[in-house]
Amino acid sequence: MKNRRRVKNKNGIANIYLVLVFLVLYAPIFYLMYYSFNSGGTMHKFEGFTLDYYREVVADTRLMIIVINTLVIALLSSAIATIIAVIGALAIHHVRSRRAKNTLLSLNNVLIVSPDVIIGASFLILFTIVGIKLGFTSVLLSHVAFSIPIAVIMILPHLQEMSPTLTDAARDLGATRRDVLTKVILPIIKPGIFSGFFMALTYSLDDFAVTFFVTGNGYSTLSVEIYSRARQGVSLSINALSTLIFLFTILLVIGYYYLNQRKSRPPVQIAEPVAEAGVPR
Amino acid sequence: MMSKGKSYYLIPYYLWIALFVIAPVLLVVYYSLFDLEGKLTLNNYVNFFTPVYMRMMLNSFWYAFLITVFSLLVAYPAAYLLTRTKHKQLWLLLIILPTWINLLLKTYAFIGIFGTFGPVNNFFDLVGLGEQQILFTGFSFVFVSVYIFIPFMILPIFSALDEMNLSLVDAARDLGASGWTTFRRVVFPLTISGVRSGCMAVFIPALSLFMITRLIAGNRVITLGTAIEQHFLVTQDWGMGSTVAVFLIAIMALFMILTGGSRKGVRG
């Protein structure tokens, strides 16, 4: 009896700790959202309810262009990155020698573990030397570049899980290399391709540091814009914007999980869980 | 055997490795050899070993260390408790969810929270501590960074704990080990790989953060990341910026070799 009570008590403390962690984790986000409705114009004294800042955000054409820029870059770069990542995953999968495979994998992971400032600075040098004008092209190329490795990591486990007898059987039945790829391999690794694309998308939408380095004058993405506005101090249109982004993010996550749920296959264990969440950019 | 020849389709991926993985590193090393006037020199390296940069490097390491330690202290118990909850996958998802919200927005929220009239200062007033300068201090920098990094620390530790064989804990308890001894001798060693990847996921970005230092710490805290950003985008001294980057890359590589090597040892 006594023993059981102690366990229960322990659970109480445990729950309080967890609740506290969740509270701290979500407090700033809800704090931002709450003050986006403040007619007082500050982030510390709530005077009255208003939707003015939402109107301001929607009416701001410059901001809308930036939102569109961000979405275009994210969709385009993740699509390109995913295609190249499929090729990369196939390349790594087909390499026979263990040593060559490890080398390829390490090279693949360099951009995942590199600090963003270094990626940004080195890409800036690269684009300047090659003569690419800073702006849309440079931002797109960088986003493709840093999204490829994460997509490869998401696709590779699916390839490794695939039974080699399937491709052998297809070849024995007279399938060409092309058929094997499009009719056997690609359908099997499809879930990996989707999660790769999705990760690339979130990487691209979230990226600040790399974009900050390679974006020229006149071209901006949301993160860069938020940074430059936040540096000028508190402005509640940022709060309104962040509320909208938060809702959009939640929709995206729900959509992603819905897609994942529909596939009735067992979840593939991802080697590096950190990679799944994405290191902050 | 049969894949000989027709491997043209692999070209884009190898091109990516050459152009965006290998070339950038070489370019950074190359640029570190030039000064502001474009003359070939080793002066940047000499400069790096002056007290200014050494202090900055120590500073950067110290803060990254603090951020990693505090993240670990908060995250380990949280991850442990998470594995004990019902619906743990759902709770884990709720831990991950805030990481999908732009880091700058979360940082920006703290400008309000830690501000002179913000809720934290209101609380201090209420308790009788009076108004404190919280924003633009080392404390706020560490706090916000820990806040940002906690999910990245919880995640790998959670998976390590989740994979752990619980019968080993029972065995330890049956053999008379106390709760603390069980944790110290069984649970922690078994999850050290998760702790290690968590620390790596926090320490390296913490060395190079620059937006949080700029927004939250004013210019009080200068890290290697801030220095690189400053040299590349403000003073346009790419040579010196590259030199700092070279050292950051070297530190990172060393860190990876150290942690990667020992990890192999544990598993093998």
Side-chain angles (χ1 to χ4, degrees), chain B:
Chain B
M1 203 55 99
M2 66 170 294
S3 56
K4 242 180 199 166
K6 288 189 195 167
S7 296
Y8 304 118
Y9 74 98
L10 295 179
I11 289 174
Y13 184 68
Y14 287 113
L15 207 63
W16 167 76
I17 288 188
L19 275 179
F20 289 99
V21 178
I22 297 171
V25 178
L26 296 180
L27 282 174
V28 166
V29 175
Y30 176 74
Y31 261 75
S32 70
L33 301 173
F34 291 91
D35 65 7
L36 258 174
E37 280 90 46
K39 269 205 313 256
L40 200 64
T41 171
L42 279 175
N43 268 347
N44 292 330
Y45 285 88
V46 177
N47 278 342
F48 191 82
F49 288 99
T50 55
V52 181
Y53 281 96
M54 284 293 113
R55 199 176 306 133
M56 186 193 74
M57 188 140 118
L58 280 179
N59 212 7
S60 198
F61 263 101
W62 173 239
Y63 276 112
F65 172 75
L66 282 181
I67 293 166
T68 313
V69 168
F70 283 121
S71 303
L72 183 62
L73 286 180
V74 177
Y76 202 101
Y80 182 80
L81 296 173
L82 273 177
T83 55
R84 298 275 170 284
T85 54
K86 271 183 212 166
H87 314 295
K88 52 187 170 188
Q89 292 302 331
L90 177 74
W91 292 114
L92 189 67
L93 176 66
L94 283 176
I95 290 270
I96 299 171
L97 194 64
T99 65
W100 302 41
I101 289 154
N102 202 305
L103 164 113
L104 290 161
L105 290 177
K106 287 180 285 184
T107 310
Y108 165 78
F110 280 101
I111 298 179
I113 294 172
F114 282 161
T116 322
F117 307 107
V120 177
N121 261 328
N122 277 343
F123 175 75
F124 280 170
D125 247 354
L126 209 73
V127 184
L129 280 169
E131 232 162 61
Q132 304 282 331
Q133 174 68 35
I134 313 168
L135 216 54
F136 310 129
T137 59
F139 165 78
S140 59
F141 171 58
V142 173
F143 188 93
V144 175
S145 309
V146 169
Y147 169 81
I148 300 275
F149 286 127
I150 273 179
F152 301 102
M153 187 64 103
I154 290 183
L155 216 56
I157 297 176
F158 175 89
S159 8
L161 278 165
D162 211 27
E163 277 169 22
M164 188 181 65
N165 188 350
L166 279 178
S167 54
L168 290 170
V169 178
D170 293 339
R173 296 309 295 264
D174 285 349
L175 292 168
S178 68
W180 170 243
T181 312
T182 312
F183 173 76
R184 202 167 47 92
R185 305 289 292 270
V186 180
V187 178
F188 192 74
L190 281 173
T191 53
I192 193 81
S193 69
V195 171
R196 209 174 269 136
S197 35
C199 286
M200 220 157 77
V202 172
F203 187 79
I204 292 172
L207 267 182
S208 59
L209 285 172
F210 73 91
M211 50 288 208
I212 298 182
T213 55
R214 283 278 150 93
L215 291 176
I216 292 292
N219 285 331
R220 290 284 182 81
V221 180
I222 294 172
T223 63
L224 291 174
T226 341
I228 294 173
E229 189 247 2
Q230 180 85 12
H231 282 309
F232 268 90
L233 299 177
V234 184
T235 59
Q236 300 281 329
D237 186 355
W238 287 17
M240 194 62 223
S242 298
T243 309
V244 180
V246 167
F247 279 96
L248 192 50
I249 293 173
I251 293 163
M252 200 185 75
L254 200 73
F255 202 71
M256 301 287 287
I257 291 167
L258 285 177
T259 50
S262 45
R263 186 192 294 177
K264 226 178 264 164
V266 167
R267 289 220 178 128

Side-chain angles (χ1 to χ4, degrees), chain A residues 65-81 135-144 146-147 197 200-201 203-205 207 211 214 219-222:
Chain A
I65 291 173
I66 290 172
V67 169
I68 293 168
N69 279 346
T70 312
L71 290 176
V72 167
I73 288 278
L75 289 171
L76 208 57
S77 70
S78 355
I80 301 172
F136 174 78
T137 322
S138 61
V139 173
L140 180 71
L141 283 174
S142 333
H143 282 221
V144 170
F146 70 61
S147 300
F197 176 78
L201 200 67
Y203 258 48
S204 171
L205 286 174
D207 177 73
T211 316
V214 298
Y219 190 83
S220 188
T221 62
L222 256 181

Side-chain angles (χ1 to χ4, degrees), chain A residues 29-256:
Chain A
I29 297 160
F30 287 110
Y31 184 79
L32 270 189
M33 290 165 87
Y34 177 65
Y35 280 101
S36 71
F37 301 107
N38 179 16
S39 65
T42 61
M43 260 211 279
H44 52 77
K45 207 170 152 219
F46 199 89
E47 285 179 9
F49 180 86
T50 178
L51 284 175
D52 281 358
Y53 302 103
Y54 289 87
R55 275 186 215 113
E56 207 176 297
V57 166
V58 179
D60 192 340
T61 10
R62 200 182 101 83
L63 195 63
M64 283 303 121
I65 291 173
I66 290 172
V67 169
I68 293 168
N69 279 346
T70 312
L71 290 176
V72 167
I73 288 278
L75 289 171
L76 208 57
S77 70
S78 355
I80 301 172
T82 312
I83 294 169
I84 301 179
V86 170
I87 297 170
L90 286 173
I92 294 174
H93 186 63
H94 281 306
V95 168
R96 291 270 182 278
S97 110
R98 207 184 160 75
R99 212 167 138 188
K101 196 175 228 161
N102 281 337
T103 312
L104 258 183
L105 262 175
S106 318
L107 282 173
N108 184 67
N109 294 349
V110 165
L111 287 186
I112 297 182
V113 295
S114 296
D116 303 316
V117 242
I118 296 207
I119 300 177
S122 60
F123 283 5
L124 175 63
I125 297 179
L126 181 76
F127 293 136
T128 315
I129 281 203
V130 177
I132 293 172
K133 212 173 138 266
L134 297 183
F136 174 78
T137 322
S138 61
V139 173
L140 180 71
L141 283 174
S142 333
H143 282 221
V144 170
F146 70 61
S147 300
I148 289 174
I150 187 72
V152 169
I153 296 262
M154 305 297 279
I155 296 169
L156 206 55
H158 291 261
L159 264 181
Q160 276 155 357
E161 220 192 26
M162 181 182 72
S163 159
T165 49
L166 282 173
T167 47
D168 290 345
R171 280 213 195 91
D172 286 347
L173 292 168
T176 60
R177 271 168 61 92
R178 196 198 178 87
D179 286 337
V180 171
L181 183 69
T182 55
K183 301 229 167 81
V184 180
I185 299 180
L186 285 183
I188 288 178
I189 62 172
K190 210 166 91 189
I193 297 176
F194 272 118
S195 10
F197 176 78
F198 187 74
M199 282 321 297
L201 200 67
T202 52
Y203 258 48
S204 171
L205 286 174
D206 253 7
D207 177 73
F208 163 69
V210 177
T211 316
F212 188 61
F213 273 87
V214 298
T215 176
N217 290 328
Y219 190 83
S220 188
T221 62
L222 256 181
S223 313
V224 176
E225 179 68 13
I226 292 167
Y227 178 72
S228 60
R229 287 191 185 199
R231 284 205 79 179
Q232 285 155 20
V234 171
S235 123
L236 293 192
S237 56
I238 304 182
N239 296 49
L241 187 64
S242 62
T243 309
L244 296 175
I245 295 176
F246 182 65
L247 294 178
F248 178 73
T249 310
I250 289 190
L251 278 180
L252 210 68
V253 174
I254 292 172
Y256 175 70

